[in-house]
Amino acid sequence: MTRRYDLVIFDFDGTLADSLTWFRTALADVVDKHGLPPICEEKAERLRGLAPKAIMDELQIPAWKLPFIAADVRARAAENVDKIHLFDGISDALHALHAQGVTLAVVSSNGEVAVKEVLGPELTALFSQFACGAALFGKAPVFRKVIKKAGTTAERTLCVGDEVRDIEAAREAGCSAAAVDWGFATPQILSDNGPDYLLDCRTQLNGCVNNQAAGVRAS
């Protein structure tokens, strides 16, 4: 079996962990604190099918306010790690990749303490790097740093995320992109943005890394 990738970089929220279920309970307070327009359940669902810029426009969020909102959400997540859980099947998928000698890393806008607490000691030990607190739209430079530290190349790196911005960052860094359809963005908006893989099952991660037909090739 020929392994296609040496390094797999994971997003955390919506990819490894179901943060969205928790965040919906905190959404009203975040919206009120930062002076954003109210977001009803129907509107929140509609946002999942929009591109990043369209989401920003819909929520009327100026670029300067993003870091403050992100910092607030990070702090809330750190206080509520007991309410954030890994998706079913993630533990098995991570163990399988690690057992094959694949280097694993996390690049997330969430805080490192929260990420590690949700993963737990056993899964945390499987990762060689945690690059947390990344800017919402600044992952590409972080990907490059992680790749360099891992001693591999962009061509041998797979970036796994659940949003359009994860696909765009992977493309900017020269990496392959795997989009998972169990997170924030809808399968349609992910497919429209041309990831190398569109996955609907955690077990498909192993197939991507090992150059087997797994998931839906989107390009």
Side-chain angles (χ1 to χ4, degrees):
M1 183 182 298
T2 303
R3 194 172 71 208
R4 183 171 185 178
Y5 303 107
D6 299 319
L7 170 66
V8 179
I9 302 176
F10 287 95
D11 171 54
F12 181 73
D13 297 296
T15 302
L16 298 179
D18 181 13
S19 308
L20 187 58
T21 298
W22 159 74
F23 183 65
R24 281 175 173 151
T25 67
L27 183 58
D29 192 43
V30 172
V31 164
D32 182 64
K33 178 177 179 179
H34 296 281
L36 304 177
I39 303 176
C40 63
E41 187 173 336
E42 181 181 354
K43 183 175 182 178
E45 185 62 27
R46 182 160 51 84
L47 292 174
R48 297 181 62 234
L50 299 180
K53 186 179 185 305
I55 293 174
M56 296 276 289
D57 291 343
E58 182 75 19
L59 296 181
Q60 302 172 32
I61 302 177
W64 65 265
K65 190 177 282 191
L66 265 182
F68 298 99
I69 297 174
D72 183 21
V73 173
R74 276 198 299 271
R76 292 170 188 267
E79 296 171 355
N80 291 274
V81 290
D82 59 319
K83 299 181 179 68
I84 302 173
H85 307 285
L86 298 177
F87 287 108
D88 291 341
I90 286 297
S91 178
D92 289 343
L94 295 176
H95 276 292
L97 292 173
H98 185 266
Q100 295 169 43
V102 178
T103 300
L104 306 179
V106 168
V107 172
S108 173
S109 56
N110 207 333
E112 184 170 337
V113 171
V115 169
K116 288 183 174 180
E117 284 197 35
V118 174
L119 285 171
E122 181 182 342
L123 293 181
T124 293
L126 303 182
F127 288 85
S128 65
Q129 295 184 60
F130 288 87
C132 297
L136 291 175
F137 294 97
K139 283 189 172 181
V142 183
F143 286 165
R144 296 189 187 101
K145 291 179 181 178
V146 170
I147 292 166
K148 182 177 181 180
K149 187 173 180 179
T152 187
T153 65
E155 292 75 20
R156 299 284 296 175
T157 300
L158 178 68
C159 299
V160 185
D162 69 311
E163 297 186 53
V164 171
R165 61 190 176 92
D166 296 315
I167 299 172
E168 294 174 341
R171 187 177 296 132
E172 182 181 341
C175 307
S176 295
V180 303
D181 75 354
W182 54 79
F184 174 75
T186 63
Q188 186 61 57
I189 191 68
L190 293 171
S191 179
D192 289 347
N193 281 270
D196 296 282
Y197 301 93
L198 180 57
L199 311 182
D200 61 14
C201 178
R202 265 69 91 185
T203 58
Q204 293 170 339
L205 285 165
N206 188 62
C208 294
V209 171
N210 288 298
N211 207 24
Q212 297 173 320
V216 179
R217 279 306 295 244
S219 61

